[in-house]
PDB file of all heavy atoms in Angstrom:
ATOM      1  N   ASP A 273      16.142  27.298   1.503  1.00 87.00           N
ATOM      2  CA  ASP A 273      17.047  27.982   0.694  1.00 87.00           C
ATOM      3  C   ASP A 273      17.620  27.117  -0.393  1.00 87.00           C
ATOM      4  O   ASP A 273      17.812  25.952  -0.164  1.00 87.00           O
ATOM      5  CB  ASP A 273      18.215  28.590   1.599  1.00 87.00           C
ATOM      6  CG  ASP A 273      17.713  29.597   2.530  1.00 87.00           C
ATOM      7  OD1 ASP A 273      16.753  30.333   2.212  1.00 87.00           O
ATOM      8  OD2 ASP A 273      18.177  29.628   3.676  1.00 87.00           O
ATOM      9  N   GLY A 274      17.954  27.742  -1.528  1.00 89.00           N
ATOM     10  CA  GLY A 274      18.655  26.858  -2.532  1.00 89.00           C
ATOM     11  C   GLY A 274      17.662  26.276  -3.471  1.00 89.00           C
ATOM     12  O   GLY A 274      16.485  25.986  -3.222  1.00 89.00           O
ATOM     13  N   TRP A 275      18.094  26.025  -4.731  1.00 92.00           N
ATOM     14  CA  TRP A 275      17.313  25.543  -5.803  1.00 92.00           C
ATOM     15  C   TRP A 275      17.195  24.000  -5.711  1.00 92.00           C
ATOM     16  O   TRP A 275      16.176  23.397  -6.282  1.00 92.00           O
ATOM     17  CB  TRP A 275      17.765  25.857  -7.166  1.00 92.00           C
ATOM     18  CG  TRP A 275      19.265  25.405  -7.409  1.00 92.00           C
ATOM     19  CD1 TRP A 275      20.363  26.048  -7.147  1.00 92.00           C
ATOM     20  CD2 TRP A 275      19.528  24.214  -8.057  1.00 92.00           C
ATOM     21  NE1 TRP A 275      21.417  25.338  -7.548  1.00 92.00           N
ATOM     22  CE2 TRP A 275      20.959  24.161  -8.115  1.00 92.00           C
ATOM     23  CE3 TRP A 275      18.855  23.073  -8.514  1.00 92.00           C
ATOM     24  CZ2 TRP A 275      21.631  23.076  -8.614  1.00 92.00           C
ATOM     25  CZ3 TRP A 275      19.546  21.995  -9.038  1.00 92.00           C
ATOM     26  CH2 TRP A 275      20.906  22.038  -9.097  1.00 92.00           C
ATOM     27  N   ARG A 276      18.071  23.314  -5.008  1.00 94.00           N
ATOM     28  CA  ARG A 276      18.062  21.763  -4.992  1.00 94.00           C
ATOM     29  C   ARG A 276      16.777  21.296  -4.364  1.00 94.00           C
ATOM     30  O   ARG A 276      16.344  20.170  -4.675  1.00 94.00           O
ATOM     31  CB  ARG A 276      19.384  21.260  -4.358  1.00 94.00           C
ATOM     32  CG  ARG A 276      20.586  21.443  -5.104  1.00 94.00           C
ATOM     33  CD  ARG A 276      21.784  20.901  -4.494  1.00 94.00           C
ATOM     34  NE  ARG A 276      22.955  20.980  -5.329  1.00 94.00           N
ATOM     35  CZ  ARG A 276      23.719  22.184  -5.473  1.00 94.00           C
ATOM     36  NH1 ARG A 276      23.373  23.231  -4.755  1.00 94.00           N
ATOM     37  NH2 ARG A 276      24.815  22.193  -6.220  1.00 94.00           N
ATOM     38  N   SER A 277      16.268  22.096  -3.442  1.00 96.00           N
ATOM     39  CA  SER A 277      15.036  21.565  -2.637  1.00 96.00           C
ATOM     40  C   SER A 277      13.785  21.494  -3.547  1.00 96.00           C
ATOM     41  O   SER A 277      12.840  20.984  -3.208  1.00 96.00           O
ATOM     42  CB  SER A 277      14.742  22.491  -1.499  1.00 96.00           C
ATOM     43  OG  SER A 277      14.541  23.864  -1.889  1.00 96.00           O
ATOM     44  N   TRP A 278      13.916  22.160  -4.786  1.00 97.00           N
ATOM     45  CA  TRP A 278      12.812  22.082  -5.739  1.00 97.00           C
ATOM     46  C   TRP A 278      12.900  20.861  -6.636  1.00 97.00           C
ATOM     47  O   TRP A 278      11.859  20.672  -7.415  1.00 97.00           O
ATOM     48  CB  TRP A 278      12.902  23.415  -6.611  1.00 97.00           C
ATOM     49  CG  TRP A 278      12.501  24.528  -5.797  1.00 97.00           C
ATOM     50  CD1 TRP A 278      13.353  25.455  -5.006  1.00 97.00           C
ATOM     51  CD2 TRP A 278      11.147  25.062  -5.476  1.00 97.00           C
ATOM     52  NE1 TRP A 278      12.596  26.418  -4.440  1.00 97.00           N
ATOM     53  CE2 TRP A 278      11.263  26.240  -4.679  1.00 97.00           C
ATOM     54  CE3 TRP A 278       9.845  24.634  -5.957  1.00 97.00           C
ATOM     55  CZ2 TRP A 278      10.131  26.896  -4.179  1.00 97.00           C
ATOM     56  CZ3 TRP A 278       8.773  25.337  -5.471  1.00 97.00           C
ATOM     57  CH2 TRP A 278       8.901  26.421  -4.690  1.00 97.00           C
ATOM     58  N   LEU A 279      13.984  20.177  -6.652  1.00 98.00           N
ATOM     59  CA  LEU A 279      14.057  18.953  -7.525  1.00 98.00           C
ATOM     60  C   LEU A 279      12.871  17.986  -7.117  1.00 98.00           C
ATOM     61  O   LEU A 279      12.267  17.420  -8.023  1.00 98.00           O
ATOM     62  CB  LEU A 279      15.472  18.356  -7.415  1.00 98.00           C
ATOM     63  CG  LEU A 279      16.535  19.180  -7.954  1.00 98.00           C
ATOM     64  CD1 LEU A 279      17.896  18.486  -7.740  1.00 98.00           C
ATOM     65  CD2 LEU A 279      16.403  19.299  -9.498  1.00 98.00           C
ATOM     66  N   PRO A 280      12.683  17.626  -5.867  1.00 98.00           N
ATOM     67  CA  PRO A 280      11.537  16.793  -5.602  1.00 98.00           C
ATOM     68  C   PRO A 280      10.188  17.243  -6.031  1.00 98.00           C
ATOM     69  O   PRO A 280       9.327  16.434  -6.353  1.00 98.00           O
ATOM     70  CB  PRO A 280      11.707  16.557  -4.028  1.00 98.00           C
ATOM     71  CG  PRO A 280      13.037  16.896  -3.646  1.00 98.00           C
ATOM     72  CD  PRO A 280      13.458  17.965  -4.632  1.00 98.00           C
ATOM     73  N   VAL A 281      10.103  18.573  -5.955  1.00 98.00           N
ATOM     74  CA  VAL A 281       8.752  19.138  -6.453  1.00 98.00           C
ATOM     75  C   VAL A 281       8.574  18.731  -7.964  1.00 98.00           C
ATOM     76  O   VAL A 281       7.467  18.387  -8.318  1.00 98.00           O
ATOM     77  CB  VAL A 281       8.749  20.624  -6.267  1.00 98.00           C
ATOM     78  CG1 VAL A 281       7.431  21.271  -6.758  1.00 98.00           C
ATOM     79  CG2 VAL A 281       8.966  21.016  -4.848  1.00 98.00           C
ATOM     80  N   GLY A 282       9.670  18.828  -8.740  1.00 98.00           N
ATOM     81  CA  GLY A 282       9.513  18.444 -10.102  1.00 98.00           C
ATOM     82  C   GLY A 282       9.133  17.092 -10.398  1.00 98.00           C
ATOM     83  O   GLY A 282       8.272  16.782 -11.205  1.00 98.00           O
ATOM     84  N   VAL A 283       9.780  16.193  -9.578  1.00 98.00           N
ATOM     85  CA  VAL A 283       9.471  14.726  -9.679  1.00 98.00           C
ATOM     86  C   VAL A 283       7.963  14.459  -9.306  1.00 98.00           C
ATOM     87  O   VAL A 283       7.231  13.796  -9.935  1.00 98.00           O
ATOM     88  CB  VAL A 283      10.438  13.864  -8.760  1.00 98.00           C
ATOM     89  CG1 VAL A 283      10.002  12.445  -8.824  1.00 98.00           C
ATOM     90  CG2 VAL A 283      11.857  14.119  -9.316  1.00 98.00           C
ATOM     91  N   ALA A 284       7.577  15.076  -8.131  1.00 98.00           N
ATOM     92  CA  ALA A 284       6.233  14.804  -7.687  1.00 98.00           C
ATOM     93  C   ALA A 284       5.200  15.478  -8.647  1.00 98.00           C
ATOM     94  O   ALA A 284       4.097  14.898  -8.822  1.00 98.00           O
ATOM     95  CB  ALA A 284       6.063  15.375  -6.237  1.00 98.00           C
ATOM     96  N   GLY A 285       5.457  16.594  -9.188  1.00 98.00           N
ATOM     97  CA  GLY A 285       4.605  17.129 -10.179  1.00 98.00           C
ATOM     98  C   GLY A 285       4.421  16.223 -11.338  1.00 98.00           C
ATOM     99  O   GLY A 285       3.290  16.097 -11.826  1.00 98.00           O
TER     100      GLY A 285
END
Side-chain angles (χ1 to χ4, degrees):
D273 295 323
W275 60 269
R276 289 180 177 82
S277 58
W278 289 93
L279 292 174
V281 179
V283 175

